Amino acid sequence: MRMYLNGQWVDASDGGLLEVVNPALGQVVDTVPNATREDLNRALDLAVAGQKIWNAVPLHEKLAILERYACMVTERVDSIARIMCEEGGKPIEQCRTEVYANAAIFRIYCSAANTFYGKTLPMNAEPRSQGDLAFTIHEPLGVFANIVPFNYPVELAAHKLAPMLVTGNAVVLLPSSKTPRSALMITELLVKAGVPAAAISCLTGEGRKIGAWAVEDKRVAAVSFTGSTAVGIGIAETCAKDLRRVSLELGGNDPMIIYDDCDFEKALEEAVSGRIGNAGQTCCASKRFLVQRGIYDRFAAALRNCLEQLRIGDPADPSVELGPVIRKEAAAVVIAQIQKTLDQGGTLVCGGNRTGAFVAPTIIRTPKTADIAKDMEVFGPVFPLIPFETEQEAVEIANQTCYGLSSGVMTADMSKAVRTAKQLQAGACILGGSGNYRLAHQPFGGYKLSGLGREGAVSTLEEMTQLKTISLKGILNGGL
Ligand code: NAP
């Protein structure tokens, strides 16, 4: 596949290519261009001009275009999902769900844009403002670099594209080099739906090059990035030099606290679904399972039983629940993290091995002192079970991390649930479930090193625009 620039499928200016690999088979299935600086220059020049054209389109027309796009995506769920499954290794049914989510996110932002009001400021509040009138309007920031990781290429792109576009910004979409083709497909659909070709492009290339070049470029007014904390901090540092805006959705090591008095079966179900989706490669997946002593042994045994029944295999098979991680090298990292946890006092209950990019579902009885119980994020189907005695100890373990994305609490005691939620240092807390839960309206984002800013229809329109106050001086005293 080629990349999408100015409404056309193009090669890199130097003809360079990157391989697209199917992680389940370990085979190259396609190539995409390896974009050069020259390609980025072209995309940014176009975007600067395209932003003005797009911003001038009346809101009702923008909404009609984006609604048309959402319909087009929905009509192509199968073809987009197939590509995602092939290059990302995500089970096909999860890919289909993600494509539907992309369309839903656009629709939700379109409806939010209709009520994205400015404010009329109080009149005559100060003696010096007698006879004046003032109001605020939201204006776009300009050109956004939209950088998304491999794990949810279509859904995470939408969480950014929809608010960027509906508020009149232009976008250069930079997908991960590991999962570039679904992003290219949705970019083409945006243009076919009516977004000016200059206002949206999708360049493919290695993130550490093309992403870094885009972040440095001052034609980029703002960067919205989802990915690792280390890269996110580097982006914030670069943008800070010229006070360009950044929004960062970063890593997590989210706790799920399972109290003795919980609904045991529901806790099991939530633990499995909250960890196993996309082979454990989800930012807000539950990654540390804090289980109270009274049910700890029973929970470990029951969880093992559940994991043994998971259907593992070819992600293109609709019955498969667990596929590979993104690459065999990523699987090797997960195995090394498991080994480290065992070296730090953990005991293996099941799993601990891999075949190619497939990591066996793994349970480790884990002391609260191990790295995995603190700051070591594992992107794979691994369940560290960490025992605790009291509510206070559970909160202490949950908070002993540099991250703070999401969290989950299982208990029948509503008062204890809310009390726990209030004490957790995280951007979200799900009571009665895993923290692996995200709604398009929800202000999603992290405390501490899990991010900066929030994505969600209740807050992102503000973050992707700038506020201007227009004052009509003396208007009520006979004129300006
Ligand atoms: P990553 O290495 O930081 O990559 C994320 C994206 O940035 C990719 O598109 C990557 O391209 C690109 N990139 C790499 N180096 C860059 C640089 N120097 N400048 C600009 N862009 C650069 O993250 P990952 O390991 O793929 O993703 C997993 C991490 O993302 C985990 O920590 C996970 O928790 C986090 N995440 C967070 C959220 C959230 O909403 N909070 C959601 C999903 C994932 P290449 O892939 O081509 O290198």
Side-chain angles (χ1 to χ4, degrees), residues 202-372:
C202 181
L203 298 188
T204 53
E206 294 159 280
R208 68 192 168 85
K209 288 189 188 161
I210 184 93
W213 297 334
V215 168
E216 282 163 11
D217 199 299
K218 295 189 188 37
R219 284 168 290 182
V220 170
V223 178
S224 182
F225 170 82
T226 298
S228 63
T229 294
V231 174
I233 289 174
I235 289 173
E237 283 172 353
T238 303
C239 291
K241 292 188 191 111
D242 349 85
L243 295 183
R244 285 177 297 134
R245 229 184 262 187
V246 289
S247 111
L248 303 173
E249 295 289 345
L250 307 177
N253 200 14
D254 296 350
M256 178 171 173
I257 299 177
I258 302 167
Y259 285 109
D260 280 347
D261 62 354
C262 69
D263 174 337
F264 189 85
E265 291 306 318
K266 189 176 178 206
L268 261 185
E269 218 175 89
E270 282 288 325
V272 174
S273 63
R275 186 55 171 139
I276 283 300
N278 196 22
Q281 302 165 111
T282 303
C283 54
C284 62
S286 295
K287 296 182 183 130
R288 297 179 292 148
F289 297 83
L290 282 51
V291 187
Q292 203 161 12
R293 277 278 183 216
I295 58 166
Y296 184 85
D297 289 335
R298 186 175 153 224
F299 192 84
L303 182 61
R304 176 182 185 159
N305 189 34
C306 288
L307 298 185
E308 281 169 356
Q309 289 168 39
L310 281 177
R311 285 185 297 276
I312 305 171
D314 178 3
D317 174 346
S319 71
V320 160
E321 297 161 290
L322 180 63
V325 297
I326 189 68
R327 288 280 187 281
K328 63 178 189 314
E329 293 78 9
V333 169
V334 173
I335 297 299
Q337 290 174 311
I338 292 169
Q339 187 55 52
K340 182 171 200 182
T341 307
L342 300 180
D343 294 344
Q344 291 178 339
T347 311
L348 200 61
V349 177
C350 63
N353 57 308
R354 75 172 171 106
T355 310
F358 287 83
V359 177
T362 299
I363 303 173
I364 313 170
R365 291 170 171 266
T366 304
K368 64 182 178 184
T369 49
D371 286 7
I372 202 171

Side-chain angles (χ1 to χ4, degrees), residues 178-211:
K178 300 172 197 91
T179 52
R181 295 177 302 166
S182 50
L184 291 166
M185 292 169 91
I186 61 170
T187 307
E188 185 195 28
L189 293 183
L190 281 164
V191 174
K192 283 194 163 163
V195 177
I200 172 81
S201 60
C202 181
L203 298 188
T204 53
E206 294 159 280
R208 68 192 168 85
K209 288 189 188 161
I210 184 93

